[in-house]
Each structure stands twice: as structure tokens, then as C-alpha cells.
Amino acid sequence: MKTLLRIIIYLIVFVVVGGTGAIGYVNTMNAGMSVYDKAAPSLTDVKVPKYDANKPTVAVLLANEVNEVFDFLVPYEMFAMTKAYNVYGVAPDREIKSLTGGLDVVPHYSFDEMDVMLGKSPDIIVIPFMPILDEKKYAPVREWIRKHSGTKTTLISICNGAENLADTGLLNGKSAATHWGDIDRLIKNYPEIQWVKDRRYVPQGNLVSSAGLTSGIDAVLYVISQQLGEAAAKKVAGEMNYPSYDYVTNPQMKPFVAGLSDITYVLNNAFQWNKVKAGVLLYNGADELDLSAAFDTYAASGTTTTLTVSSANEPIVTKHGLNLVARYQIKDVPKLSKMIVVGADAESTATEDINQWKSSGNSAKLLFLHRDAADRFAMDPAFEDLAGQEDIQTAKFAAKRLEYRATDHLKLEGSSFSFEAFGVPVLLGVLSLPIAFFIDRRFIRRKKDHPQI
């Protein structure tokens, strides 16, 4: 009996450490997937890109709850860059929708409005990852995808958007790709689908599925090359400074798998309690890919809380016509560690907003993320800054999570690993062991040494 009690006491040590980490992990995940909860600005004057009946239409979906930021922003920008498509953010209704990391967007059209305007199905539907958290809230998305799944519409799933596409039943009997970290789970949940681990994207008739995040770039470029020609696809890739166009013509890859080094990501989410609080300045003309570089690198690393900030409580319009809403204005933003300003030309494009920030009295330093990086892929400076802010291992996993392969040229400088993320659980264990030892000596061994007569 005493041996059992002793085992239970020392198991408590692991429960304390593990339970504390689990709470931290859940809180971090919830923060990254938070939805808009501020007083909404007036949305009566939201700008919508002009519709041209002579162009095919791309609908990039938004669910009622949270949506993956990269999966939405980057395909939207890429199709818009061609100037050959009408490109719109479309949702069940016109209310503000949230992207991971705390970026919020106003849809251009509701599903019903787009149906009325087109009088037919969109030519392309982009399906980002939209976690199905509430069946009732999500159901309209599933129904709309099914409604417009005819062979004349190309459906593109980005990353774990493959789960949303699988959920419709349209992938049954077909092959598909998805994020390397979730593919084993989807193999169990959707056995009717042949899940492919070694391709950046998988075309199946009018369905195209991509692997993790940046693999979606290859899938979109593939569709552009099929519809507009390879020259158009190469032009978009060149303007993005995308370094991996070879995957567009040959999507074969060596798949990523979970490894011991990935524990850094888990520990960051679980035990990185003193998170950096970084603002991201939203300004008119901001580039969508540049914005994604901030939210899907810092916020998704488990080390940083990102807060959107603008000069006024009104929608700002991105380079290609998205309407974004900041959760804070410069005058009322909480204390920040730094203010991230994206875009190689931000200092000229956002001069008024930057000057307002400088005169606001906030002491957080400005980080011009893409300064002197006009010829680089937008994610690269973010990986490098993350290595300096946190550690090299965190930056490496950020690239791996994004399924980004062109990392050899990155200059990652900083600590080898996170002392906080690894040190906190060790400290908890060290503090818990003496307590367990005291209980053992005081209440268990003492009874053994002094048996009752």
C-alpha cells in the first residue's frame, strides 16, 4: 500500500508539470484562434473590387468562425495579381470574419449575394482551412461548396482546407494532399480518400488539393498555368520572389515527418508564458502576402501575441482590395514590445500612419520587417527576425510548419533553443520534487518507521 502511495505522490509531479503545460498550450491555441469581439466600425462603405463579366471569378471562402490566415490571404493575392480574374472574399454573411493570429476581414459578398450577381457557379473556389468548431455555424460553408462543385468549377483546397473539402464527400475515391502534421489523423477520419504524403499538390479532375501552407502557392500557380499559361504563372511567382517554382512543374517532394526537434514548438505553446506582444500596423495598400508573413510566422510560433493596429476605427483596404479591420487603434493599443510594419515600401506608403505612431508616445520600437528586402520572399525576413527574437530552433520549425523548403539561404542568428520553453518545465519539476519528497517522508515513510501498536 505504501509503495502505491509513493508512486502516486511522485506521479503528481508529472501531473503538475504536464497539466500546467496543457493549460498553457490550450490557452495559446485559443488566443491564436480568437474571433473579432470589439465594437465594429461602420461597414456601410466597404469597398468591393469592380466586377467584370468578361473575367472568370474566384471566390476565396471565409467561414463564420476562424480561418487560416495564410490559406486565405495568399491565394487571394495571387489570383488578383494576374489581373485576369474577379477575386472576392465570400462568406455565409457580410459580418466581420477572423483569421488566425487576430487579423479580421470583411467579406466582399455573402454566398447568396454572389449567387445572385453571377447567376452561376464561380469559376474557381479556394478552400482555406476552416476548423469546424460549431456544426450549425459551419454548415452553410459545406452546403455552398457542394452546391457549386460541378465540373466547370475548379475547387482548390489549401493546406488543411483538404479536411473541409473531404468533409463534403467530394474527395471520396480520389487522391489528396494536406499538411504533414495532420495527414495521419485525416487518414483515420477519411479512409475513403487516398492521402498522398510526397506531393506538394494533387490535381484530380476539377479538384486540386495542396499540402502544407506554402504548398498552396504551388497549387495556385499550377491552376494559373493551366488556365492562363505558364508565362502568367511564372510572372506571378517572380513578382512574389517565390524561390520554389520547380515544384509547380514537378510537385514531388520528400515529406516532412514529426521529429524530436519539433518539441520546441510544443514547449513554446505550453510553457512560453512571457509572450512577446507585437502590434501589426494595418494601413491602406498593405500587401497580403507581407501581412501573412507576420501573422503566420510570429503568432503561429507559440511565442508571440499579435495585435492589429490602425490609425482610425474604419476598414483599411489592402493592395488587392481586401477590407481589414484592426482590433485596436493607435490611441488605445495596449503596451507592446514592438510594432511590426510590413512591406518593402511601407515607409513611403504608410508615412502618415507611421508618423502618428511615433507621436503617440508608445515606446515600442518600429520593426520594418521588409526594409531592404524588396527582392526577397516575404517570409524570409520574418524567419530571420524570429530567430533573433526567440531562437534558431523556433525559426526552423516555423519554416517546417509552413512547409517552406528554400531555407538554405536564410541567415538564422540567435540562441540555439528557447531557455524559457525548456527551463519552465524543468523548474516546475525541480520545485515539485521536494514537495513530493516531503510528503513521502512526512506521511508515508514515517508510518513505516513508527508502526502503530
Side-chain angles (χ1 to χ4, degrees), residues 292-309:
S292 181
F295 291 99
D296 236 331
T297 304
Y298 296 93
S301 69
T303 67
T304 308
T305 299
T306 47
L307 306 179
T308 50
V309 184

Side-chain angles (χ1 to χ4, degrees), residues 36 43-49 58-65 67 72 76 87-99 103-114 141 315-316 321-325:
Y36 189 85
L43 302 178
T44 56
D45 297 325
V46 169
K47 295 178 174 62
V48 178
V58 179
V60 188
L61 299 189
L62 289 160
N64 281 322
E65 296 180 286
N67 309 266
F72 176 80
Y76 175 92
V87 189
Y88 302 109
V90 187
D93 56 52
R94 293 282 295 278
E95 297 299 316
I96 295 171
K97 307 303 177 190
S98 296
L99 309 179
L103 184 61
D104 304 292
V105 60
V106 184
H108 293 123
Y109 291 108
S110 69
F111 290 157
D112 289 342
E113 288 171 338
M114 171 149 282
V141 177
I316 69 98
L322 281 175
N323 295 274
L324 305 180
V325 177

Side-chain angles (χ1 to χ4, degrees), residues 212-244:
L213 296 108
T214 58
S215 299
I217 295 176
D218 303 321
V220 172
L221 290 173
Y222 165 78
V223 171
I224 292 173
S225 70
Q226 295 296 298
Q227 296 193 357
L228 305 180
E230 188 169 10
K234 285 186 173 181
K235 184 174 184 293
V236 170
E239 291 177 0
M240 296 171 64
N241 299 307
Y242 182 56
S244 303

Side-chain angles (χ1 to χ4, degrees), residues 201-218:
Y201 65 87
V202 177
Q204 294 277 279
N206 68 317
L207 309 180
V208 181
S209 57
S210 77
L213 296 108
T214 58
S215 299
I217 295 176
D218 303 321

Side-chain angles (χ1 to χ4, degrees), residues 18 31 75 138 178 217 219 226 245 278 282 319 324 358-359 379:
Y138 179 77
T178 191
I217 295 176
Q226 295 296 298
Y245 189 86
L282 303 185
K319 184 176 182 179
L324 305 180
K358 289 179 178 178
S359 62
M379 297 286 175

Side-chain angles (χ1 to χ4, degrees), residues 61-84:
L61 299 189
L62 289 160
N64 281 322
E65 296 180 286
V66 73
N67 309 266
E68 215 296 325
V69 61
F70 182 100
D71 297 359
F72 176 80
L73 288 182
V74 179
Y76 175 92
E77 176 178 33
M78 292 174 68
F79 280 115
M81 287 170 69
T82 67
K83 299 180 180 179

Side-chain angles (χ1 to χ4, degrees), residues 2-162:
K2 292 184 176 63
T3 301
L4 178 60
L5 287 173
R6 187 170 292 121
I7 292 173
I8 292 173
I9 290 298
Y10 284 95
L11 278 176
I12 290 174
V13 173
F14 296 99
V15 171
V16 168
V17 176
T20 303
I23 293 171
Y25 192 93
V26 170
N27 287 340
T28 302
M29 293 292 102
N30 288 340
M33 296 177 67
S34 64
V35 297
Y36 189 85
D37 61 355
K38 303 289 182 180
S42 173
L43 302 178
T44 56
D45 297 325
V46 169
K47 295 178 174 62
V48 178
K50 184 178 178 180
Y51 174 67
D52 185 342
N54 295 315
K55 294 180 179 180
T57 297
V58 179
V60 188
L61 299 189
L62 289 160
N64 281 322
E65 296 180 286
V66 73
N67 309 266
E68 215 296 325
V69 61
F70 182 100
D71 297 359
F72 176 80
L73 288 182
V74 179
Y76 175 92
E77 176 178 33
M78 292 174 68
F79 280 115
M81 287 170 69
T82 67
K83 299 180 180 179
Y85 299 95
N86 302 301
V87 189
Y88 302 109
V90 187
D93 56 52
R94 293 282 295 278
E95 297 299 316
I96 295 171
K97 307 303 177 190
S98 296
L99 309 179
T100 51
L103 184 61
D104 304 292
V105 60
V106 184
H108 293 123
Y109 291 108
S110 69
F111 290 157
D112 289 342
E113 288 171 338
M114 171 149 282
D115 288 345
V116 171
M117 182 183 74
L118 295 181
K120 62 182 184 66
S121 294
D123 299 274
I124 297 173
I125 296 176
V126 179
I127 305 171
F129 178 45
M130 300 168 281
I132 305 174
L133 306 175
D134 184 310
E135 171 59 29
K136 185 176 181 180
K137 290 181 179 180
Y138 179 77
V141 177
R142 180 190 301 113
E143 294 167 6
W144 202 75
I145 295 172
R146 287 174 175 166
K147 177 181 178 180
H148 296 293
S149 60
T151 56
K152 292 184 178 180
T153 297
T154 300
L155 302 179
I156 310 173
S157 68
I158 309 297
C159 190
N160 276 348

